[in-house]
Amino acid sequence: MERMERFMLAGHNLGLDLMRATEAAALAAGRWAGRGEKELGDKAAVDAMRAILNQVRMDGTIVIGEGEKDEAPMLANGEKVGTGEGDKIDIAVDPVDGTRLLAWGMRNSIAVLAAAEGGTMYDPHMCFYMEKLVVSHNAADVIDLDAPIADNIRKAAKAEGKDVSEFVVGVLNRERHNDLVKEIRAAGAATRMFTDGDVAAAVAAATPGVKIDMLAGIGGSPEGVVTACAMKCLGGRILARLHPTTDEERRRTAEAGFDVDRVLDTNDLVGSDKTLFVATGITDGDLVDGVRYLPGGDARTHSVVMRSESGTVRWVEAQHHLDKVNAWRESHGS
């Protein structure tokens, strides 16, 4: 009980502390929107996020980071962040979810971060992709990853109180999803295709008032864990299954002890009921608005902070004096 109370007390302000990290990442990356330089935009976000994270009072470990797939020198899997004080916290970061969206100046690029009690996040580092199905709390009990998509749409639409013709499924725009898209439309539902930005679309599917009712298809496995933290806050549900893309990846994944045929539920992806999810918009999107750079050197950000323990979802608009932000970063070695 003592440990639970400490985490709750830390969690009271931890979400806002972590929001400062996503805000910093968004402010740094936003300057690169539409400039065709996704690596430079991502690096700017990583540097800014890391500088803030290391000031947060926590004993944090990056479980889901830039990692092997992105060949990142910082915020990589296993890296320690925070001051080393307080609770042990598992951290999942994506300083730019949608680097291509950022480079092209397109919608739905966000800076995102999730947290949970130490030792509770699933670590899918051996397998880059997973099959996913995400819905809101209304449809959480009716979906089945092994069922035809038409059945899932019909049951979820009924649970949402909608006609199938009003139902919208978010799908990553990839050739591998051509048949899935045909099946969704044949069922009578509409699709919302997105180029990148797996986390934003998944969270939008579980957020009331957003024009996506379900996310389906194959996307990044690290993003699936981040999504699970958000589902704990929203009451939604993610079902997933690892999806190796080569025989070698399947072999390595199996040798590491992962069952590639197992259906993973929300609780399998994050075992704690104490999670945080934070996102700040870089470009405008369905979930949050993008950074606005204002005359006089100021900027405005729009963020969402979710906390599972209290069930609160806070939408935060903040104005930043960039001269002070930059001076602070320089004084802290970033």
Side-chain angles (χ1 to χ4, degrees), residues 140-164:
D141 295 332
V142 303
I143 58 172
D144 179 352
L145 192 64
D146 290 320
I149 190 65
D151 289 355
N152 281 308
I153 289 171
R154 177 176 51 81
K155 291 178 180 179
K158 182 179 180 181
E160 294 283 1
K162 293 186 174 185
D163 188 83
V164 169

Side-chain angles (χ1 to χ4, degrees), residues 114 199 203 206 225-236 270 275-277 306:
V199 173
V203 176
V225 179
V226 175
T227 297
C229 290
M231 294 305 105
K232 288 292 184 92
C233 301
L234 292 167
V270 57
T275 68
L276 295 163
F277 173 87
M306 305 180 185

Side-chain angles (χ1 to χ4, degrees), residues 82-102:
T83 62
E85 305 168 278
D87 291 310
K88 292 186 180 298
I89 305 292
D90 282 354
I91 301 289
V93 299
D94 199 343
V96 181
D97 178 41
T99 54
R100 180 159 44 183
L101 300 176
L102 171 64

Side-chain angles (χ1 to χ4, degrees), residues 272-285:
S272 175
D273 288 327
K274 304 175 187 63
T275 68
L276 295 163
F277 173 87
V278 187
T280 301
I282 303 174
T283 60
D284 285 344

Side-chain angles (χ1 to χ4, degrees), residues 253-313:
T253 302
E255 287 179 354
F258 294 91
D259 182 354
V260 297
D261 297 316
R262 179 187 175 194
V263 174
L264 301 165
D265 211 326
T266 309
N267 287 328
D268 298 312
L269 296 173
V270 57
S272 175
D273 288 327
K274 304 175 187 63
T275 68
L276 295 163
F277 173 87
V278 187
T280 301
I282 303 174
T283 60
D284 285 344
D286 296 312
L287 189 63
V288 282
D289 294 331
V291 177
R292 298 281 189 276
Y293 296 100
L294 308 173
D298 289 358
R300 186 174 297 135
T301 56
H302 188 222
S303 304
V304 59
V305 182
M306 305 180 185
R307 184 169 178 243
S308 65
E309 285 182 281
S310 59
T312 54
V313 178

Side-chain angles (χ1 to χ4, degrees), residues 44 55 57 79 88 121 146 151 167 177 190 237 249 296-297 333:
Q55 305 304 314
R57 187 182 182 278
E79 182 176 341
K88 292 186 180 298
M121 277 188 186
D146 290 320
D151 289 355
F167 200 81
H177 291 146
R237 188 181 187 188
E249 187 179 17

Side-chain angles (χ1 to χ4, degrees), residues 32 48 55 80 118 124 142 145 204-205 211 215 223-224 256 286:
W32 293 95
Q55 305 304 314
K80 300 294 290 186
V142 303
L145 192 64
K211 296 180 180 179
L215 175 118
E223 289 83 351
D286 296 312

